[in-house]
Amino acid sequence: MTSCAERSAPVARVFRGTFMHSSGSAPLHILEDALLGVNEQGKISFVGAAHEVDCLSKTWGFSSSQIKELGPQEFFMPGLIDTHIHASQYSYTGTALDMPLLQWLNTYTFPTEANYKDLNFSKDVYTKVVKRTLKNGTTTACYFATIHTDSSLLLAEIADKFGQRALVGKVCMDVNKAVKHYKETPEQSKKETNRWVLWLYPLVMPIVTPRFAVSCSPQLLSHLGDIAKNNNLHIQSHISENKEEVNLVKELFPSCQSYTEVYRKHNLLTDKTVMAHGCHLTDSELKLFRDAGAAISHCPNSNISLCSGMLDVRRVLKSKVKLGLGTDVAGGYSPSMLDAIRRALDTSKALKIKDPQHETLSFEEVFRLATLGGSQALCLEKKTGSFEVGKDFDALLINPLVQDGPFDVFPDDTEHALHPFDSAGDDRNIREVYISGKRVVPFQKSL
């Protein structure tokens, strides 16, 4: 809570009601009858108890008429953070899940991604995926685009115009035997990536994106590691998604002791790195992640949908490795982070079936992974992920009693009250989306 004596800038918005968020000490804090102020820059100015309203209003210079009061069943939660999503695969979401990873990429993914040299096609798909993820409550998304620089720039522009916080990656790959026209040379990729990282939007940042070790030569990986280091950029890729992939990496990089070592050797394992999947990482690899400060994006939907494996999240957390959740569209068939939350719980319980000694995750822990954990995985914890003073106000206003909602609420069900991430909730319960203090309306704004 903020002291009444503290003040830095005038407030633009004040909310009163219930707020739910996570911290490092607890996976879920519920602040009932609280006041939260947001300044003109979209940052949280104060969080205080409602009985302090007189003191807070004098300190921050707002009147009671400026306070927006939430309904008795409404509450705010931090915006959801998708740490791994392929925007370019959104057009075939929910289909083509009949093959394992490597065959799936060759048959469906690479031919589809080759179409993104067409900017009209790109604009249609990228507009839809940004609008859909915003509707689903994703205030921050870490996107893979394609190898095409101009259409990747278009994705960044679209995310910016709709007000979504995002990291956008131009995909880099110079090895592709299945779809030979969908690749670059190492020098082309280096040149285009250097062009790619020059742009800047207030809420959208570039992220260096080698597709994965299988599709990148050592020369290209070295180029990308140097670009990331010289420009202090974020890095994203894939690692240890399925066993066939892991074995192939061993064949392609025989001098490296592990898959993780491939990325570390090429300066691609840093405290600004997020790697998707990690289902088959060894204990020694997790130690490399921890020592580097690198993160894992847990993508439970696609892990199951492509029969890749099941990540033991409890093991990762005990190894003190940063972890967030990802939808991994289109290996994952849903662009909803609520689905990622549920699938993470399902995977944890499936591991319990295999091993009765396994400690399952609680919904509170998975809530933290989808919010604060995601911000930590993307090295954005100073900006978003929780309702701390100084952070941007990225938030979802939730109403469990929305008309024609997906579940019923009973007046006596207070001890086991439904949360938006329980089995019945969906995006209809999300009434408003705020990013950096601004209300985002993805369904009415056009480009």
Side-chain angles (χ1 to χ4, degrees):
M1 295 290 185
T2 308
S3 166
C4 285
E6 300 174 18
R7 180 175 181 177
S8 58
V11 294
R13 297 178 184 269
V14 181
F15 302 96
R16 177 176 180 173
T18 299
F19 298 81
M20 297 184 183
H21 73 145
S22 303
S23 70
S25 61
L28 182 64
H29 294 281
I30 301 177
L31 310 177
E32 296 184 278
D33 200 15
L35 285 169
L36 183 147
V38 181
N39 67 22
E40 293 175 351
Q41 288 74 46
K43 297 186 179 297
I44 298 172
S45 297
F46 66 83
V47 181
H51 65 76
E52 298 179 298
V53 61
D54 291 339
C55 174
L56 289 168
S57 64
K58 290 178 182 177
T59 301
W60 295 94
F62 64 89
S63 65
S64 58
S65 62
Q66 291 177 264
I67 300 173
K68 177 174 179 175
E69 299 211 13
L70 277 59
Q73 296 289 337
E74 292 181 324
F75 61 90
F76 270 115
M77 60 175 280
L80 296 166
I81 298 174
D82 190 342
T83 58
H84 185 72
I85 175 171
H86 291 263
S88 54
Q89 296 174 16
Y90 184 59
S91 62
Y92 63 96
T93 303
T95 67
L97 297 174
D98 56 335
M99 294 181 178
L101 173 66
L102 298 182
Q103 293 76 13
W104 178 80
L105 288 171
N106 292 336
T107 304
Y108 301 116
T109 301
F110 296 153
T112 299
E113 291 190 8
N115 294 327
Y116 282 81
K117 61 186 177 183
D118 182 337
L119 292 182
N120 289 326
F121 175 78
S122 302
K123 181 176 181 180
D124 179 52
V125 178
Y126 288 157
T127 299
K128 288 175 179 175
V129 71
V130 171
K131 290 176 70 173
R132 177 59 57 183
T133 53
L134 280 170
K135 182 179 180 182
N136 289 342
T138 300
T139 54
T140 301
C142 190
Y143 289 118
F144 271 63
T146 66
I147 68 172
H148 310 98
T149 305
D150 290 336
S151 69
S152 300
L153 288 167
L154 182 60
L155 173 58
E157 178 187 346
I158 290 169
D160 175 69
K161 286 188 177 181
F162 278 92
Q164 187 175 52
R165 189 185 304 278
L167 293 96
V168 178
K170 173 212 162 302
V171 172
C172 301
M173 53 189 289
D174 63 339
V175 178
N176 189 348
K177 295 180 180 179
V179 184
K180 295 182 180 180
H181 63 279
Y182 186 60
K183 64 179 180 180
E184 308 162 289
T185 67
E187 289 305 319
Q188 284 174 332
S189 190
K190 177 183 177 181
K191 178 182 178 182
E192 288 302 295
T193 301
N194 277 318
R195 179 164 77 93
W196 162 252
V197 301
L198 294 177
W199 58 268
L200 184 66
Y201 292 105
L203 295 176
V204 186
M205 298 180 292
I207 181 168
V208 174
T209 305
R211 179 167 217 112
F212 65 156
V214 172
S215 62
C216 296
S217 67
Q219 182 183 1
L220 177 55
L221 291 174
S222 293
H223 286 329
L224 297 177
D226 290 343
I227 291 171
K229 182 178 181 180
N230 293 338
N231 295 279
N232 191 28
L233 295 172
H234 288 76
I235 300 163
Q236 65 176 344
S237 193
H238 303 82
I239 195 168
S240 295
E241 187 170 351
N242 81 359
K243 291 183 178 180
E244 182 184 9
E245 168 209 8
V246 174
N247 291 331
L248 182 55
V249 170
K250 288 180 181 178
E251 295 176 14
L252 295 171
F253 298 88
S255 65
C256 293
Q257 296 297 311
S258 67
Y259 200 157
T260 304
E261 178 64 21
V262 174
Y263 292 120
R264 192 201 67 79
K265 180 180 178 180
H266 296 95
N267 295 317
L268 291 166
L269 194 74
T270 75
D271 60 356
K272 299 180 83 170
T273 294
V274 57
M275 291 283 175
H277 304 291
C279 299
H280 307 288
L281 292 172
T282 64
D283 289 344
S284 61
E285 287 180 286
L286 287 175
K287 184 177 185 301
L288 289 176
F289 267 78
R290 183 189 66 213
D291 292 347
I296 294 172
S297 174
H298 178 32
C299 305
N301 188 314
S302 67
N303 289 343
I304 297 299
S305 295
L306 297 179
C307 299
S308 297
M310 292 188 291
L311 178 66
D312 185 344
V313 169
R314 183 66 65 196
R315 174 170 164 259
V316 174
L317 295 177
K318 286 182 177 179
S319 299
K320 300 189 182 305
V321 173
K322 296 185 295 186
L323 187 75
L325 295 183
T327 59
D328 193 24
V329 166
Y333 56 75
S334 172
S336 170
M337 281 296 293
L338 291 177
D339 175 83
I341 289 169
R342 294 166 186 146
R343 300 291 82 78
L345 289 167
D346 289 346
T347 296
S348 180
K349 292 174 182 177
L351 290 170
K352 179 78 169 181
I353 294 171
K354 290 180 60 178
D355 177 11
Q357 300 303 312
H358 178 75
E359 182 185 356
T360 57
L361 299 171
S362 67
F363 73 82
E364 294 95 338
E365 289 177 300
V366 181
F367 172 81
R368 177 161 59 185
L369 294 180
T371 53
L372 182 61
S375 70
Q376 293 168 339
L378 298 180
C379 212
L380 295 174
E381 68 271 21
K382 292 183 179 179
K383 287 186 173 294
T384 188
S386 62
F387 296 134
E388 295 180 49
V389 171
K391 289 189 177 184
D392 286 12
F393 185 63
D394 292 2
L396 309 179
L397 178 60
I398 307 298
N399 183 0
L401 294 180
V402 62
Q403 187 175 1
D404 297 323
F407 60 83
D408 297 303
V409 177
F410 299 93
D412 294 329
D413 191 21
T414 53
E415 183 178 355
H416 304 289
L418 284 168
H419 295 281
F421 36 90
D422 282 333
S423 60
D426 63 22
D427 60 72
R428 284 173 288 179
N429 300 110
I430 301 171
R431 306 311 299 154
E432 295 177 357
V433 177
Y434 292 86
I435 300 177
S436 195
K438 296 180 181 179
R439 185 181 176 189
V440 177
V441 187
F443 328 113
Q444 297 176 4
K445 184 175 180 181
S446 60
L447 290 176

